Amino acid sequence: MGAPGRAIAFDARGDILLEQFRREVRGVAATLPAAPYAINLCEDRYRFLVAFCAAASRGQVTLLPSSRAAAVVDEVLAAHPGSYCLGDQPLDPVPPHYTCLPPQLPQLDGGPLDIAADALVAIGFTSGSTGQPSANRKHWSSFRRSTAQNLAALADLLDRHGSTHVVATVPPQHMYGMEMSVLLPLLGPVAVHGARPFFPQDVARALAEAITPPLLVTTPVHLRALLESGIGLPPLAGIVSATAPLPAELAQAAEVRFGCEVREVFGSTETCVFARRRTAVETAWTLLPGVRLAPQPDGTAVHAPHLDHPVVLADLVELCADGRFELRGRNADLLEIAGKRASLADLTRKLLAVPGVVDGVVLQLDARDGAGVRRIAALAVAPGLDAAAILAALRRQVDPVFLPRRLRCVDTLPRNDTGKLPRHALLALLEG
């Protein structure tokens, strides 16, 4: 973790040093109930770090549900008997078996904090954007190796002579947030802001509290909101983006406005981050050290030093002669109707290109019609437009067989904390 005097977190009051962090981890660990699992619901990122390490020091596995919604938390609790919830503020409704950290964290002196290399420390759940969430087990040794890869991938954006300050808009419960705002400060020369700013003015305020140009860890949704707000930001070391495809024009606009590189990273809950690119100027992805891809008919197998065995993703890739790769869509994203082919991602891009559409998504329904075809549907946020006008615009650029048979205009899409769209929420909105 580094020298006791290095900063591991910061906020408006200044740096929080590793020495204090270790005392508070020991203090909190002594108050935790005996249990095999803990669901970490802490909103404050520093308290999430403390709670995560306290649980790990007690041999408890941190569960990372895809959402902090009560129903999702209840499902995870039911699937892991003996688990409890750990948070940092009063919740309504109160989750079952809830332990709330006190305003002033207890402290205990002691020796170094050690976590066994083979310890199972977390179970992350996929977002459910393509179906039912799945559980993914993470051992401490795997986290250490993947974090070393991430530090190498970000080395030229980090302060070479001191600690880099990081501000993240993504929740620590999401695997991308876990990698970039929890594991980086735990295992690298990084200090993370304790807050999770959401609105542009909150992001700007948190960035201004860094004593050196900070690294902004964010998503395309948050990055677009920052640009559209017109708000000014202090000098940045760089911007990192993930969780959804980053349009090149958005990356280019952000680099011009904020005067720094926008680096997109690619990964999943199953694999953690394994590739990067500068989206403003390149389409191909560079693999992180030691990673190898093996294209398959149903997706791509990812081989990496931090993975115990290859993980097959639904993403389809094309390998380049220089060792990089380009994405060619997802296996579940490809459509074939009446002998014609298209992709949901491309159809969504065309929907978003319709003047007046500010957000939208195209999806394929589960049920088949009388001809045995799974039809296309869409949701659009388009103030001032109706479904007929949007469909008329789509007819000029979409083959008739891929036009949405059902298109509904809504006030907002059900995006989660990282900007993703859980499939069950989209289907419920279509039926609503």
Side-chain angles (χ1 to χ4, degrees):
M1 290 186 178
R6 85 159 174 97
I8 191 171
F10 73 100
D11 56 23
R13 296 165 293 183
D15 286 343
I16 300 173
L17 303 184
L18 184 58
E19 184 177 21
Q20 175 185 335
F21 170 76
R22 287 170 170 164
R23 290 197 303 267
E24 290 176 336
V25 168
R26 296 188 200 97
V28 169
T31 69
L32 297 181
Y37 305 102
I39 298 182
N40 193 331
L41 300 175
C42 290
E43 289 278 352
D44 181 275
R45 200 174 306 269
Y46 174 70
R47 287 171 173 253
F48 182 98
L49 263 76
V50 171
F52 170 72
C53 288
S57 72
R58 289 284 301 272
Q60 299 176 3
V61 181
T62 294
L63 303 176
L64 304 170
S66 60
S67 165
R68 283 168 290 177
V72 176
V73 171
D74 287 345
E75 287 179 7
V76 174
L77 285 171
H80 297 82
S83 55
Y84 69 100
C85 293
L86 179 60
D88 58 353
Q89 57 185 275
L91 298 178
D92 185 18
V94 180
H97 316 296
Y98 185 52
T99 295
C100 186
L101 297 177
Q104 185 71 33
L105 295 179
Q107 298 189 24
L108 278 178
D109 291 324
L113 297 172
D114 291 321
I115 302 174
D118 60 351
L120 176 64
V121 293
I123 298 178
F125 296 83
T126 55
S127 65
S129 57
T130 58
Q132 199 66 21
S134 62
N136 297 268
R137 297 159 65 88
K138 303 294 181 181
H139 293 84
W140 188 237
S141 58
S142 173
F143 270 161
R144 290 185 70 95
R145 287 194 292 267
S146 63
T147 302
Q149 290 176 314
N150 288 336
L151 287 168
L154 299 174
D156 56 328
L157 300 181
L158 302 178
D159 190 333
R160 298 179 183 178
H161 307 291
S163 181
T164 298
H165 286 56
V166 167
V167 173
T169 65
V170 289
Q173 289 84 1
H174 186 273
M175 193 55 63
Y176 168 52
M178 183 76 174
E179 288 189 81
M180 294 292 161
S181 68
V182 175
L183 296 174
L184 283 187
L186 283 179
L187 298 170
V190 169
V192 69
H193 197 286
R196 181 169 67 89
F198 183 81
F199 296 106
Q201 59 268 31
D202 298 326
V203 176
R205 186 181 305 113
L207 291 168
E209 290 168 357
I211 58 175
T212 58
L215 187 69
L216 175 61
V217 173
T218 191
T219 71
V221 170
H222 287 109
L223 189 56
R224 188 179 299 277
L226 281 170
L227 283 169
E228 292 177 350
S229 72
I231 198 165
L233 299 181
L236 302 179
I239 296 172
V240 180
S241 178
T243 73
L246 177 64
E249 61 271 21
L250 178 58
Q252 292 160 1
E255 289 199 353
V256 171
R257 171 76 70 81
F258 303 127
C260 66
E261 179 181 330
V262 177
R263 184 165 299 177
E264 188 176 8
V265 296
F266 185 75
S268 67
T269 302
E270 300 93 324
T271 62
C272 292
V273 171
F274 63 85
R276 64 179 178 86
R277 70 176 179 183
R278 185 179 175 188
T279 312
V281 297
E282 58 185 349
T283 59
W285 295 84
T286 298
L287 293 168
L288 300 194
V291 178
R292 178 172 60 85
L293 301 185
Q296 300 183 172
D298 59 344
T300 303
V302 181
H303 301 252
H306 65 278
L307 298 175
D308 293 333
H309 53 79
V311 174
V312 178
L313 299 180
D315 301 277
L316 304 174
V317 307
E318 180 179 332
L319 300 182
C320 305
D322 60 2
R324 298 188 298 168
F325 71 93
E326 296 204 14
L327 285 172
R328 295 294 183 239
R330 294 175 64 87
N331 187 45
D333 182 63
L334 301 180
L335 305 171
E336 185 167 350
I337 300 177
K340 300 178 179 180
R341 292 184 175 181
S343 79
L344 291 172
D346 184 59
L347 294 174
T348 296
R349 282 193 292 270
K350 289 174 178 174
L351 171 63
L352 293 172
V354 173
V357 174
V358 297
D359 201 3
V361 63
V362 178
L363 65 156
Q364 189 173 32
L365 302 177
D366 295 323
R368 298 180 183 273
D369 63 12
V373 175
R374 294 172 57 205
R375 292 299 181 182
I376 310 302
L379 292 162
V381 179
L385 294 180
D386 58 18
I390 297 172
L391 284 171
L394 285 176
R395 283 193 185 95
R396 292 194 287 270
Q397 50 183 328
V398 174
D399 189 290
V401 301
F402 296 116
L403 280 174
R405 294 301 188 268
R406 187 188 313 172
L407 191 153
R408 185 178 181 197
C409 291
V410 295
D411 293 331
T412 185
L413 293 185
R415 295 189 180 277
N416 63 17
D417 287 340
T418 58
K420 292 189 175 183
L421 294 167
R423 181 174 175 82
H424 70 89
L426 294 177
L427 295 175
L429 194 56
L430 274 170
E431 297 299 331

